[in-house]
């Protein structure tokens, strides 16, 4: 019979399983500043980086409905970026949100478009989408996200998760 009083145990933190970073993932919180045009105080920009993802996860939400929002990841040192993963979710309204991503190699003075993606949401159908895009970007100083929440329908800009990989 096993002596259970000698059992060593510890409680796992609730977020431990989801906060494990891949070896080539860029630590945005430790290597960049995020500039943003708006945030809902209940859904601040930090929630993009909390390690939670998937339907129902925490997320950034703009404070202004039907307004184009901007978010810029300003890297402390230029980065090579081979992959960008981000998620969006909308369970309440039928609308189309567009996310445009632009990269700068000159400290944010000029940008070039690297991606435009539209997300069509329908409460009775598609409410969540995950994008995993591959790139071959070098010496990126800034990544600018332009989020148009209402290309069709009405809504508020939102992003659930944001991850960059070297």
């Amino acid at each position: 019979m096993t002596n259970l009083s000698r059992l060593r145990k510890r409680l796992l933190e609730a977020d431990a399983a989801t906060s494990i970073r891949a070896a080539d993932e860029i630590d945005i919180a430790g290597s960049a500043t995020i500039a943003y045009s708006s945030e809902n105080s209940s859904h601040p920009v930090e929630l993009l980086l909390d390690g939670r993802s998937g339907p129902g996860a925490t997320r950034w939400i703009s404070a202004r409905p039907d307004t184009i929002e901007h978010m810029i990841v300003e890297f402390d040192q230029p980065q090579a970026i081979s992959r960008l993963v981000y998620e969006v979710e909308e369970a309440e309204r039928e609308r189309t949100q567009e996310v445009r991503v632009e990269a700068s190699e000159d400290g944010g003075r000029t940008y070039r478009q690297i991606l435009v993606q539209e997300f069509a949401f329908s409460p009775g159908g598609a409410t969540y989408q995950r994008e995993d895009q591959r790139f071959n970007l070098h010496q990126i100083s800034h990544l600018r996200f332009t989020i148009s929440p209402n290309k069709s329908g009405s809504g508020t800009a939102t992003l659930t998760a944001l991850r960059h990989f070297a």
Side-chain angles (χ1 to χ4, degrees):
M1 184 166 177
T2 304
N3 182 352
L4 295 179
S5 65
R6 294 180 8 161
L7 177 68
R8 291 176 288 157
K9 65 179 189 175
R10 67 180 173 83
L11 181 65
L12 288 175
E13 292 180 38
D15 297 330
T18 60
S19 64
I20 296 172
R21 201 176 294 287
D24 59 345
E25 186 172 353
I26 298 169
D27 175 13
I28 297 172
S31 65
T33 299
I34 296 183
Y36 56 93
S37 56
S38 173
E39 71 178 3
N40 177 313
S41 60
S42 298
H43 301 277
V45 74
E46 302 81 287
L47 296 180
L48 282 174
L49 308 176
D50 68 2
R52 296 180 181 156
S53 62
T58 57
R59 63 186 182 206
W60 162 80
I61 300 176
S62 163
R64 306 178 297 189
D66 296 323
T67 302
I68 294 173
E69 300 293 356
H70 302 279
M71 186 176 300
I72 303 173
V73 179
E74 304 168 336
F75 293 106
D76 298 337
Q77 300 294 322
Q79 301 285 324
I81 298 176
S82 65
R83 186 172 160 214
L84 172 64
V85 177
Y86 62 98
E87 301 172 8
V88 294
E89 183 173 22
E90 170 64 73
E92 297 175 13
R93 298 179 183 184
E94 187 168 314
R95 68 183 176 95
T96 300
Q97 175 171 289
E98 179 184 89
V99 175
R100 182 179 311 123
V101 183
E102 298 165 297
S104 174
E105 297 174 339
D106 61 6
R109 289 184 293 280
T110 61
Y111 287 87
R112 66 181 165 95
Q113 184 171 291
I114 59 170
L115 171 70
V116 176
Q117 182 70 46
E118 287 189 0
F119 302 94
F121 298 110
S122 172
T127 59
Y128 166 85
Q129 289 182 283
R130 179 180 190 269
E131 289 298 317
D132 189 336
Q133 300 288 332
R134 304 287 176 159
F135 299 101
N136 189 17
L137 304 173
H138 302 282
Q139 299 298 310
I140 300 303
S141 61
H142 292 68
L143 278 180
R144 179 169 60 194
F145 295 80
T146 302
I147 302 113
S148 177
N150 59 348
K151 282 206 63 161
S152 75
S154 178
T156 305
T158 181
L159 290 176
T160 301
L162 180 61
R163 299 171 70 193
H164 299 90
F165 297 84

